[in-house]
Amino acid sequence: FVLHSFSGSSGINAEYGEEDQRYVDASDWEDPPQFGNSETDFEEVRLFYGWWQSYCTKRSYMWLDELYDIRQADNRRVLRAMEKENKKFVDDAKKEYNESVRSLVTHIKKKDPRCEAQKEKQKQLEEERLAAEKKRKEDQRRKRAEEIERLTELEKDKIAEHEEQLDGLLNEFSDSDDNEDPFYCPLCRKMFKSDKMMKQHEKSKKHKEKLAELQGEFASELQAAGLAEQSVYSLFYFFLSSPIMFHNQDFIS
């Protein structure tokens, strides 16, 4: 209904634009954008509504300039007052006319199916944009979390390495005899300050790996010498419980 009623020669351009054209020199006149049809590109539709929603009439409204007859002014002060009131009267009439045209165009725009379709299109594009933005932020948060986790693990490894180096220095420069220290691990050659630290060390992965490796080597060598399995493990634990024997390089070899 809207496209049929306000297109062609019966449209807004004909009813209001051509009327304004009568009050403008031909050289100064610029035709307003066309209303178009259902196939018109929306940019042209946008131009049409933008032009008419900021419409200002070219009509002079000189026929209204009779509120006060300035020829009857008694003096210059009264003349200026009459002219001021006449101008205000004309300006108010123009303003009222402009607003009535703009209101009509706004009403037509609300009913225009092309504008409704564009509104739905813009809504869909905005939803897609928000979804893409949400995904981008989630990916950024995930990558940051992965990087933090990686750096945390790396930092833990560095701390463990520094602690091990520090323990080695303490063992090296200790005034006491490591062999006689009750919190000394002869297998790892590390000294600890308390029984609790010693027990925690014995539960560590590195200590257990060294213990299993040494146990396997020790058992293989003694079994090759013809000793029974029970005797092998008895000698092995005796070996571990004797720091003096452990530190004897000739015995180890």
Side-chain angles (χ1 to χ4, degrees):
F1 172 76
V2 173
L3 294 179
H4 175 73
S5 300
F6 295 96
S7 60
S9 59
S10 61
I12 294 178
N13 289 1
E15 185 171 348
Y16 297 98
E18 292 177 5
E19 181 67 22
D20 278 2
Q21 190 174 2
R22 295 168 49 194
Y23 298 89
V24 180
D25 292 337
S27 59
D28 296 332
W29 175 253
E30 182 179 347
D31 291 332
Q34 296 299 308
F35 183 80
N37 52 48
S38 59
E39 302 299 325
T40 302
D41 185 81
F42 191 76
E43 283 304 314
E44 295 183 24
V45 176
R46 193 194 308 276
L47 287 174
F48 172 83
Y49 283 112
W51 196 93
W52 282 104
Q53 285 184 312
S54 59
Y55 169 78
C56 289
T57 182
K58 305 296 183 182
R59 304 179 188 188
S60 65
Y61 278 78
M62 293 302 297
W63 62 87
L64 294 179
D65 196 15
E66 297 297 333
L67 182 63
Y68 295 101
D69 187 353
I70 59 176
R71 293 172 299 180
Q72 298 180 6
D74 296 334
N75 51 57
R76 211 177 269 264
R77 182 178 63 82
V78 174
L79 174 64
R80 286 196 296 269
M82 287 182 173
E83 291 175 340
K84 182 177 180 181
E85 289 298 320
N86 286 342
K87 183 178 183 305
K88 183 178 181 301
F89 184 63
V90 171
D91 289 344
D92 288 345
K94 284 185 177 182
K95 180 179 178 181
E96 182 179 356
Y97 182 75
N98 290 337
E99 290 178 351
S100 66
V101 174
R102 294 171 189 171
S103 177
L104 173 62
V105 173
T106 299
H107 176 73
I108 295 172
K109 184 178 180 180
K110 289 180 180 179
K111 302 296 184 179
D112 193 331
R114 299 172 301 178
C115 295
E116 289 294 321
Q118 181 66 14
K119 187 184 298 183
E120 288 298 319
K121 181 180 178 181
Q122 291 296 330
K123 181 180 178 182
Q124 183 178 353
L125 290 175
E126 180 65 12
E127 289 176 353
E128 292 175 356
R129 186 191 68 80
L130 292 175
E133 180 69 12
K134 181 179 179 181
K135 184 179 182 303
R136 185 185 66 82
K137 290 182 178 180
E138 289 176 350
D139 290 343
Q140 285 183 341
R141 283 194 292 268
R142 177 179 54 78
K143 290 180 180 179
R144 283 198 298 266
E146 291 175 354
E147 182 66 12
I148 290 173
E149 183 178 359
R150 186 185 69 82
L151 293 175
T152 301
E153 291 299 323
L154 183 62
E155 192 66 24
K156 286 181 179 179
D157 293 340
K158 288 182 178 180
I159 291 173
E161 182 180 351
H162 292 163
E163 288 179 346
E164 186 174 350
Q165 292 175 354
L166 180 60
D167 289 340
L169 291 174
L170 290 174
N171 291 338
E172 183 178 350
F173 295 103
S174 175
D175 294 332
S176 61
D177 186 357
D178 290 342
N179 295 335
E180 299 177 357
D181 197 309
F183 306 127
Y184 178 76
C185 174
L187 183 62
C188 301
R189 299 188 179 185
K190 295 179 67 174
M191 183 178 66
F192 301 93
K193 295 182 179 180
S194 65
D195 180 60
K196 182 178 180 181
M197 293 176 65
M198 180 69 176
K199 289 180 178 179
Q200 287 179 344
H201 167 72
E202 290 173 348
K203 296 178 181 179
S204 68
K205 183 178 180 180
K206 287 186 177 181
H207 178 83
K208 290 180 178 179
E209 288 176 351
K210 287 186 177 182
L211 182 62
E213 181 182 355
L214 185 60
Q215 180 181 352
E217 294 176 358
F218 192 70
S220 298
E221 292 179 3
L222 292 181
Q223 284 177 350
L227 295 177
E229 183 177 355
Q230 184 175 1
S231 300
V232 170
Y233 287 110
S234 298
L235 286 172
F236 174 72
Y237 287 111
F238 171 73
F239 171 76
L240 288 180
S241 64
S242 302
I244 295 176
M245 295 180 66
F246 182 82
H247 287 279
N248 188 320
Q249 299 298 321
D250 296 335
F251 179 81
I252 295 176
S253 61

